[in-house]
Amino acid sequence: MDRFIHRFVADETGATAIEYGLIVALVAVFIIGALGRVGTALGTKFNSVASAL
């Protein structure tokens, strides 16, 4: 039983997966924010082109 507990505490494979998940989540948040800004800028540009026509 002692070996099992020691091996369980020393195992870090789950921590690595969690770290990768957090990194992916942060990248996704930044991409969503960037796409929101680009979408707003494109909408403004299309509206100005439509008004000019």
Side-chain angles (χ1 to χ4, degrees):
M1 187 70 173
D2 260 353
R3 270 186 5 192
F4 174 74
I5 292 173
H6 180 66
R7 193 175 63 196
F8 179 76
V9 171
D11 186 20
E12 295 183 2
T13 56
T16 304
I18 291 171
E19 290 169 358
Y20 284 137
L22 289 173
I23 291 169
V24 168
L26 282 173
V27 169
V29 166
F30 285 121
I31 289 173
I32 289 169
L35 288 178
R37 288 185 182 198
V38 169
T40 302
L42 278 175
T44 303
K45 187 61 84 174
F46 282 132
N47 285 335
S48 66
V49 168
S51 297
L53 291 177

